Amino acid sequence: MSSHSHLEPYRGTYGEPRPKRLDGLALPPRPMPGRQGLRPLKAWRYIGAYGPDLMLCVGTARLGPLRQTFWAVWDRRHHHLYERTVLGRGRVAMSGGNVRIREPDVQLKLDFIERAGTGVETVCPTGALHGWTRKQVVDVRARIMLGGEPYRWLGRALVDDTAAYYERHTRWRWSAGIGTAVDGTSVAWNLVDGVNDPPHGSERTVWVDDVPGEVPPVEFAADLSRVGDLRFHAEAVRERRENLLLVRSDYRQPFGTFSGSLPGGVELAEGYGVMEAHDAWW
């Protein structure tokens, strides 16, 4: 097993030249090996689109040979949460900037208006190995059928692509959201504590008018009611607890609204998104 315990964190723009010190690492777009020593690759794509009427997320996750697919739609108009989590691919198709869901009660067609391909990427040590992630904010168009009722939506989404050799026991808290500052500028955020979170070179990002900036370390309330000076008001919760002997996971991700200030002092007029707590043995 190669050791990267002294790896200096890297943060940059995906697609731009990386420093030479990373040449020895397998990093996207190159495929990453399914295992490094005893650690399987943990990889996922998560797309979260958040707005005043609807909030939704769609994701696929991989742990070694295992695959899982999940999705959820929080209908704020009718106070109804639709969701599924299945092993394998289920009735979800994700390809590039397109997402399709075909379920009896939910049909979704979501397209990136402009194909995403850059975004903020980081490479951080995780124990003796490394983890890679890319975070992007994109414009999306969605056509949704919920319980037989059609809905069209034009909004914004955060895309999280991650591939990492995280340690056997990994815990983190995370928040992602889309909103508007009091001066009318568009904002988005990706905040984390527990993974990819060194003081500098982290994945912590606030976008102001689509310009990303790294922000300092953040503190999450244990009950997910706050991160830094950003207050969270939970409305609907996705949660799942699994015990597959060698793999155990305790996961909680509420949808809701945000108020207060983002790291860096940007005050919100409105904000929509998620908080998350995840405790995994994998």
XYZ file of all heavy atoms in Angstrom, residues 181-259:
622
model
N -28.641 36.262 -1.561
C -28.191 37.162 -0.506
C -29.121 38.357 -0.407
O -29.943 38.616 -1.300
C -26.760 37.627 -0.796
N -29.012 39.111 0.688
C -29.896 40.254 0.893
C -29.715 41.322 -0.175
O -30.627 42.113 -0.437
C -29.701 40.863 2.303
C -30.167 39.899 3.376
C -28.244 41.267 2.531
N -28.548 41.363 -0.834
C -28.343 42.347 -1.899
C -28.783 41.824 -3.261
O -28.571 42.473 -4.289
C -26.876 42.791 -1.954
C -25.923 41.656 -2.312
O -26.393 40.517 -2.540
O -24.708 41.914 -2.373
N -29.389 40.620 -3.297
C -29.927 40.080 -4.535
C -29.009 39.166 -5.309
O -29.427 38.573 -6.311
N -27.764 38.999 -4.887
C -26.851 38.115 -5.606
C -27.183 36.655 -5.316
O -27.670 36.307 -4.236
C -25.384 38.382 -5.223
O -25.230 38.239 -3.807
C -24.959 39.781 -5.635
N -26.927 35.802 -6.298
C -27.147 34.370 -6.111
C -25.987 33.776 -5.327
O -24.833 34.167 -5.516
C -27.292 33.671 -7.459
O -26.087 33.744 -8.191
N -26.308 32.843 -4.449
C -25.288 32.188 -3.647
C -25.548 30.684 -3.611
O -26.664 30.223 -3.861
C -25.229 32.735 -2.200
C -24.847 34.205 -2.191
C -26.562 32.534 -1.485
N -24.509 29.945 -3.323
C -24.612 28.502 -3.097
C -23.486 28.125 -2.153
O -22.516 28.878 -1.992
C -24.503 27.734 -4.406
N -23.617 26.966 -1.506
C -22.571 26.583 -0.556
C -22.439 25.079 -0.444
O -23.364 24.310 -0.716
C -22.832 27.184 0.827
C -24.089 26.723 1.509
C -24.237 25.660 2.353
C -25.390 27.324 1.407
N -25.545 25.557 2.794
C -26.265 26.574 2.228
C -25.890 28.426 0.713
C -27.619 26.882 2.357
C -27.245 28.740 0.831
C -28.078 27.975 1.654
N -21.231 24.685 -0.043
C -20.866 23.307 0.265
C -19.966 23.374 1.497
O -18.830 23.843 1.405
C -20.130 22.682 -0.918
C -19.571 21.309 -0.591
O -20.255 20.306 -0.701
N -18.309 21.248 -0.181
N -20.489 22.936 2.638
C -19.761 23.036 3.905
C -19.642 21.642 4.508
O -20.591 20.854 4.450
C -20.497 23.970 4.871
C -20.792 25.383 4.333
C -21.663 26.156 5.323
C -19.499 26.136 4.042
N -18.487 21.347 5.120
C -18.275 19.999 5.632
C -17.353 20.024 6.837
O -16.518 20.928 6.989
C -17.681 19.088 4.522
C -16.245 19.471 4.215
C -17.799 17.615 4.862
N -17.517 19.015 7.686
C -16.620 18.771 8.811
C -16.482 17.260 8.949
O -17.474 16.554 9.095
C -17.202 19.375 10.096
C -16.378 19.026 11.324
O -15.139 19.026 11.219
O -16.967 18.749 12.381
N -15.259 16.746 8.825
C -15.029 15.319 9.003
C -14.318 14.664 7.842
O -13.614 13.670 8.036
N -14.519 15.168 6.617
C -13.792 14.670 5.444
C -13.402 15.862 4.579
O -14.106 16.873 4.533
C -14.625 13.673 4.603
C -14.885 12.383 5.358
C -15.940 14.293 4.144
N -12.274 15.753 3.908
C -11.816 16.792 2.963
C -11.857 18.181 3.591
O -12.252 19.150 2.942
C -12.665 16.780 1.682
C -12.870 15.399 1.108
O -11.953 14.585 1.083
N -14.078 15.119 0.663
N -11.439 18.261 4.863
C -11.655 19.505 5.607
C -10.393 20.049 6.286
O -10.472 20.554 7.417
C -12.749 19.292 6.657
C -12.325 18.297 7.738
O -11.335 17.568 7.528
O -12.977 18.263 8.798
N -9.214 19.989 5.654
C -8.047 20.632 6.276
C -8.261 22.142 6.369
O -9.171 22.691 5.708
C -6.903 20.294 5.316
C -7.569 20.092 3.997
C -8.891 19.446 4.310
N -7.466 22.838 7.165
C -7.643 24.289 7.285
C -7.561 25.028 5.950
O -8.259 26.016 5.727
C -6.508 24.712 8.222
C -6.215 23.486 9.031
C -6.434 22.339 8.098
N -6.706 24.525 5.044
C -6.564 25.120 3.717
C -6.522 23.998 2.687
O -6.027 22.910 2.961
C -5.290 25.954 3.626
C -5.207 27.052 4.648
N -5.926 28.217 4.550
C -4.504 27.133 5.802
C -5.661 28.979 5.592
N -4.808 28.345 6.381
N -7.066 24.256 1.508
C -7.126 23.226 0.477
C -8.292 22.280 0.665
O -8.255 21.139 0.205
N -9.366 22.746 1.298
C -10.529 21.922 1.599
C -11.569 22.029 0.485
O -11.450 22.831 -0.441
C -11.170 22.380 2.902
O -11.872 23.601 2.688
N -12.638 21.225 0.633
C -13.769 21.342 -0.277
C -14.781 22.397 0.172
O -15.745 22.663 -0.552
C -14.485 19.993 -0.423
C -15.231 19.542 0.833
C -16.170 18.366 0.557
O -15.673 17.273 0.238
O -17.389 18.555 0.684
N -14.584 23.015 1.332
C -15.539 24.021 1.813
C -15.574 25.197 0.829
O -14.564 25.848 0.581
C -15.140 24.527 3.202
C -15.168 23.480 4.296
C -14.812 24.108 5.653
N -13.527 24.806 5.579
C -12.334 24.229 5.789
N -12.268 22.939 6.090
N -11.215 24.922 5.713
N -16.762 25.474 0.302
C -16.872 26.485 -0.740
C -18.175 27.253 -0.609
O -19.228 26.665 -0.352
C -16.815 25.840 -2.141
O -15.613 25.069 -2.264
C -16.851 26.886 -3.242
N -18.096 28.563 -0.805
C -19.268 29.416 -0.988
C -19.138 30.070 -2.361
O -18.095 30.643 -2.685
C -19.380 30.487 0.119
C -20.462 31.512 -0.228
C -19.684 29.835 1.465
N -20.200 29.935 -3.166
C -20.248 30.579 -4.477
C -21.084 31.858 -4.365
O -22.224 31.817 -3.880
C -20.910 29.683 -5.508
C -20.136 28.488 -5.942
C -19.374 28.349 -7.062
C -20.077 27.201 -5.287
N -18.836 27.090 -7.148
C -19.253 26.364 -6.072
C -20.647 26.685 -4.111
C -18.983 25.037 -5.717
C -20.375 25.389 -3.755
C -19.544 24.567 -4.550
N -20.544 32.981 -4.801
C -21.271 34.246 -4.860
C -21.279 34.687 -6.318
O -20.221 34.935 -6.898
C -20.618 35.323 -3.969
C -21.395 36.635 -4.062
C -20.564 34.845 -2.511
N -22.483 34.749 -6.911
C -22.592 35.007 -8.355
C -21.691 34.064 -9.148
O -20.962 34.478 -10.059
C -22.271 36.468 -8.678
C -23.518 37.350 -8.591
O -24.631 36.797 -8.498
O -23.367 38.580 -8.618
N -21.721 32.788 -8.764
C -21.007 31.712 -9.456
C -19.492 31.739 -9.271
O -18.780 30.921 -9.867
C -21.331 31.697 -10.957
C -22.770 31.299 -11.225
O -23.318 30.505 -10.445
O -23.341 31.797 -12.217
N -18.978 32.640 -8.471
C -17.542 32.685 -8.212
C -17.272 31.928 -6.920
O -17.757 32.325 -5.843
C -17.034 34.129 -8.101
C -15.543 34.145 -7.769
C -17.297 34.889 -9.408
N -16.509 30.813 -6.968
C -16.274 30.018 -5.764
C -15.147 30.584 -4.922
O -14.161 31.124 -5.437
C -15.886 28.650 -6.321
C -15.224 28.969 -7.635
C -15.932 30.190 -8.176
N -15.295 30.470 -3.614
C -14.234 30.857 -2.696
C -14.180 29.887 -1.530
O -15.226 29.476 -1.000
N -12.976 29.502 -1.142
C -12.833 28.626 0.018
C -13.114 29.410 1.287
O -12.759 30.597 1.395
C -11.432 28.034 0.083
C -11.269 27.008 1.203
C -9.893 26.387 1.264
O -8.976 26.891 0.590
O -9.733 25.391 2.000
N -13.758 28.770 2.257
C -14.072 29.417 3.522
C -13.402 28.647 4.652
O -13.020 27.480 4.495
C -15.605 29.489 3.747
C -16.252 30.387 2.703
C -16.236 28.101 3.735
N -13.225 29.281 5.814
C -12.532 28.627 6.935
C -13.322 27.441 7.481
O -14.496 27.232 7.135
C -12.426 29.751 7.979
C -12.630 31.022 7.219
C -13.556 30.687 6.098
N -12.700 26.637 8.357
C -13.405 25.522 8.990
C -14.689 25.968 9.673
O -14.786 27.101 10.156
C -12.381 25.000 10.005
C -11.059 25.352 9.400
C -11.269 26.679 8.728
N -15.682 25.079 9.691
C -16.999 25.385 10.227
C -17.354 24.394 11.326
O -16.856 23.268 11.360
C -18.078 25.348 9.122
C -17.883 26.502 8.144
C -18.068 24.008 8.382
N -18.238 24.828 12.213
C -18.709 23.973 13.315
C -20.197 23.713 13.138
O -20.991 24.644 12.980
C -18.458 24.656 14.649
C -18.936 23.840 15.845
C -18.756 24.572 17.161
O -18.115 25.647 17.167
O -19.267 24.075 18.188
N -20.578 22.444 13.164
C -21.976 22.034 13.046
C -22.561 21.760 14.426
O -21.905 21.148 15.273
C -22.096 20.749 12.227
C -21.923 20.921 10.748
C -20.656 21.097 10.199
C -23.016 20.900 9.904
C -20.486 21.240 8.834
C -22.861 21.041 8.524
C -21.592 21.216 7.988
N -23.783 22.189 14.638
C -24.505 21.795 15.851
C -24.795 20.298 15.782
O -25.073 19.748 14.707
C -25.804 22.582 15.972
N -24.755 19.622 16.934
C -24.967 18.175 16.966
C -26.340 17.789 16.426
O -26.504 16.719 15.835
C -24.794 17.664 18.395
N -27.338 18.666 16.600
C -28.691 18.373 16.129
C -28.950 18.912 14.724
O -30.097 18.920 14.252
C -29.733 18.924 17.106
C -29.666 20.446 17.243
O -28.785 21.084 16.604
O -30.483 21.008 18.006
N -27.906 19.386 14.046
C -27.980 19.910 12.681
C -28.848 21.160 12.563
O -29.333 21.490 11.476
C -28.478 18.836 11.699
C -27.639 17.563 11.592
C -28.241 16.617 10.556
C -26.197 17.884 11.235
N -29.014 21.881 13.639
C -29.821 23.102 13.603
C -29.012 24.320 13.166
O -29.597 25.387 12.907
C -30.425 23.373 14.982
O -29.397 23.612 15.943
N -27.695 24.143 13.018
C -26.844 25.297 12.707
C -25.504 24.806 12.189
O -25.010 23.758 12.572
C -26.624 26.122 13.986
C -25.692 27.311 13.831
C -25.411 27.940 15.203
N -24.898 26.975 16.176
C -23.622 26.560 16.200
N -22.754 27.006 15.322
N -23.243 25.686 17.127
N -24.924 25.605 11.292
C -23.525 25.453 10.926
C -22.943 26.861 10.890
O -23.364 27.697 10.106
C -23.340 24.715 9.579
C -24.190 25.295 8.449
C -21.862 24.722 9.188
N -22.011 27.122 11.789
C -21.501 28.480 11.941
C -22.629 29.422 12.314
O -23.393 29.157 13.248
N -22.764 30.526 11.565
C -23.841 31.496 11.797
C -25.028 31.266 10.870
O -25.907 32.128 10.747
C -23.315 32.926 11.595
C -22.287 33.310 12.642
O -22.445 32.889 13.806
O -21.322 34.023 12.302
N -25.053 30.102 10.243
C -26.152 29.743 9.347
C -27.123 28.838 10.094
O -26.752 27.767 10.558
C -25.583 29.022 8.125
C -26.476 28.847 6.904
C -26.901 30.188 6.325
C -25.746 28.008 5.852
N -28.359 29.301 10.236
C -29.378 28.546 10.974
C -30.202 27.703 10.004
O -30.512 28.129 8.895
C -30.278 29.503 11.756
C -29.532 30.322 12.814
C -30.477 31.218 13.598
N -31.110 32.224 12.760
C -30.557 33.389 12.431
N -29.336 33.694 12.852
N -31.211 34.252 11.667
N -30.569 26.504 10.474
C -31.299 25.564 9.629
C -32.639 25.222 10.270
O -32.723 24.961 11.475
C -30.481 24.284 9.444
C -31.168 23.247 8.602
C -31.418 23.471 7.258
C -31.550 22.034 9.166
C -32.050 22.510 6.483
C -32.179 21.064 8.392
C -32.426 21.304 7.047
N -33.675 25.171 9.424
C -35.036 24.865 9.871
C -35.496 23.631 9.087
O -35.903 23.727 7.924
C -35.960 26.057 9.627
C -35.360 27.364 10.075
N -35.436 27.819 11.374
C -34.636 28.293 9.395
C -34.801 28.977 11.475
N -34.303 29.282 10.294
N -35.416 22.461 9.718
C -35.719 21.195 9.042
C -37.201 21.077 8.737
O -38.061 21.492 9.532
C -35.263 20.021 9.894
N -37.517 20.473 7.574
C -38.909 20.278 7.163
C -39.239 18.807 6.888
O -40.330 18.351 7.206
C -39.190 21.102 5.905
C -39.083 22.602 6.114
C -39.348 23.402 4.868
O -39.326 22.815 3.757
O -39.602 24.620 4.970
N -38.339 18.085 6.249
C -38.562 16.672 5.931
C -37.216 15.966 5.991
O -36.201 16.557 5.637
C -39.200 16.518 4.558
N -37.213 14.700 6.399
C -35.947 14.015 6.675
C -35.836 12.723 5.884
O -36.742 11.881 5.916
C -35.802 13.702 8.183
C -34.468 13.019 8.455
C -35.928 14.965 9.014
N -34.717 12.575 5.191
C -34.287 11.284 4.677
C -33.366 10.676 5.715
O -32.404 11.312 6.135
C -33.486 11.434 3.374
C -34.218 11.926 2.182
C -33.261 11.988 0.985
N -32.622 10.697 0.753
C -31.297 10.516 0.684
N -30.461 11.514 0.843
N -30.802 9.302 0.460
N -33.623 9.452 6.117
C -32.716 8.799 7.052
C -32.755 7.304 6.831
O -33.770 6.740 6.415
C -33.032 9.166 8.504
C -34.437 8.955 8.952
C -34.655 9.549 10.343
O -33.679 9.754 11.081
O -35.816 9.807 10.682
N -31.623 6.680 7.114
C -31.506 5.250 6.865
C -30.425 4.680 7.777
O -29.350 5.262 7.930
C -31.154 4.997 5.395
C -31.211 3.540 4.966
C -30.954 3.443 3.467
N -30.981 2.073 2.987
C -32.060 1.434 2.581
N -33.234 2.051 2.587
N -31.999 0.184 2.146
N -30.708 3.550 8.349
C -29.746 2.849 9.200
C -29.599 1.431 8.669
O -30.590 0.713 8.496
C -30.216 2.828 10.650
C -29.253 2.125 11.599
C -29.669 2.328 13.030
N -29.532 3.719 13.429
C -29.878 4.188 14.627
N -30.403 3.376 15.538
N -29.714 5.463 14.918
N -28.353 1.048 8.386
C -28.091 -0.276 7.834
C -27.020 -0.977 8.655
O -26.087 -0.331 9.139
C -27.630 -0.177 6.377
C -28.700 0.353 5.445
C -28.213 0.462 4.012
O -27.106 0.995 3.807
O -28.959 0.016 3.117
N -27.165 -2.294 8.791
C -26.154 -3.110 9.465
C -25.977 -4.385 8.658
O -26.744 -5.332 8.783
C -26.574 -3.433 10.897
C -25.462 -4.120 11.672
O -24.472 -4.574 11.099
N -25.607 -4.199 12.977
N -24.964 -4.356 7.786
C -24.652 -5.507 6.949
C -23.382 -6.182 7.448
O -22.571 -6.665 6.673
C -24.494 -5.064 5.489
C -25.702 -4.323 4.895
C -25.391 -3.866 3.475
C -26.942 -5.188 4.926
N -23.213 -6.201 8.772
C -22.074 -6.790 9.457
C -20.791 -6.021 9.153
O -20.394 -5.152 9.917
C -21.949 -8.273 9.108
C -23.163 -9.134 9.525
C -22.946 -10.589 9.153
C -23.445 -9.000 11.018
N -20.131 -6.292 8.037
C -18.898 -5.583 7.748
C -19.147 -4.123 7.367
O -18.275 -3.274 7.501
C -18.134 -6.284 6.615
C -17.535 -7.644 6.961
C -16.857 -8.250 5.739
C -16.547 -7.532 8.115
N -20.341 -3.840 6.861
C -20.710 -2.478 6.471
C -21.870 -2.020 7.338
O -22.922 -2.651 7.368
C -21.108 -2.418 4.978
C -21.547 -1.003 4.616
C -19.964 -2.875 4.099
N -21.655 -0.927 8.065
C -22.709 -0.345 8.888
C -22.791 1.155 8.588
O -21.768 1.811 8.374
C -22.436 -0.569 10.381
C -22.251 -2.019 10.743
C -22.298 -2.250 12.251
N -21.273 -1.524 12.981
C -20.036 -1.950 13.179
N -19.631 -3.088 12.636
N -19.168 -1.237 13.888
N -24.002 1.663 8.597
C -24.175 3.069 8.237
C -25.369 3.654 8.968
O -26.423 3.011 9.069
C -24.386 3.198 6.722
O -24.647 4.530 6.361
N -25.184 4.853 9.490
C -26.258 5.610 10.133
C -26.279 6.981 9.458
O -25.321 7.754 9.566
C -25.993 5.748 11.632
C -27.206 6.259 12.390
O -28.167 6.691 11.742
O -27.174 6.255 13.633
N -27.371 7.251 8.769
C -27.413 8.385 7.844
C -28.666 9.217 8.087
O -29.756 8.671 8.242
C -27.429 7.833 6.414
C -27.568 8.846 5.315
C -26.457 9.489 4.801
C -28.816 9.133 4.774
C -26.571 10.405 3.769
C -28.947 10.046 3.745
C -27.820 10.681 3.243
O -27.941 11.579 2.229
N -28.483 10.536 8.118
C -29.622 11.433 8.293
C -29.399 12.674 7.444
O -28.364 13.332 7.547
C -29.783 11.821 9.765
C -31.029 12.648 10.069
C -31.255 12.763 11.580
N -32.497 13.439 11.881
C -32.606 14.746 12.091
N -31.502 15.504 12.072
N -33.780 15.290 12.342
N -30.384 12.995 6.581
C -30.267 14.178 5.726
C -31.623 14.879 5.638
O -32.482 14.497 4.858
C -29.785 13.819 4.323
C -29.502 15.055 3.468
C -29.184 14.726 2.029
O -30.079 14.543 1.212
N -27.901 14.661 1.710
N -31.842 15.923 6.440
C -33.083 16.676 6.342
C -33.023 17.758 5.257
O -31.988 18.392 5.048
C -33.229 17.303 7.730
C -31.840 17.386 8.259
C -31.061 16.279 7.634
N -34.153 17.934 4.561
C -34.376 19.092 3.704
C -34.921 20.230 4.567
O -35.640 19.994 5.541
C -35.430 18.783 2.635
C -35.016 17.800 1.591
C -35.433 16.473 1.661
C -34.243 18.189 0.511
C -35.087 15.563 0.674
C -33.891 17.287 -0.482
C -34.309 15.973 -0.400
N -34.633 21.477 4.159
C -35.199 22.592 4.903
C -34.735 23.932 4.369
O -34.186 24.044 3.271
N -34.974 24.962 5.177
C -34.625 26.327 4.800
C -33.528 26.858 5.722
O -33.350 26.381 6.843
C -35.843 27.249 4.874
O -36.342 27.269 6.219
C -36.950 26.771 3.939
N -32.826 27.874 5.232
C -31.702 28.459 5.961
C -31.923 29.955 6.154
O -32.546 30.622 5.328
C -30.397 28.238 5.202
C -29.938 26.813 5.149
C -30.443 25.947 4.180
C -29.007 26.328 6.060
C -30.020 24.627 4.123
C -28.580 25.009 6.009
C -29.086 24.161 5.037
N -31.366 30.468 7.247
C -31.360 31.901 7.508
C -30.051 32.241 8.214
O -29.328 31.361 8.670
C -32.563 32.301 8.378
O -32.543 31.623 9.619
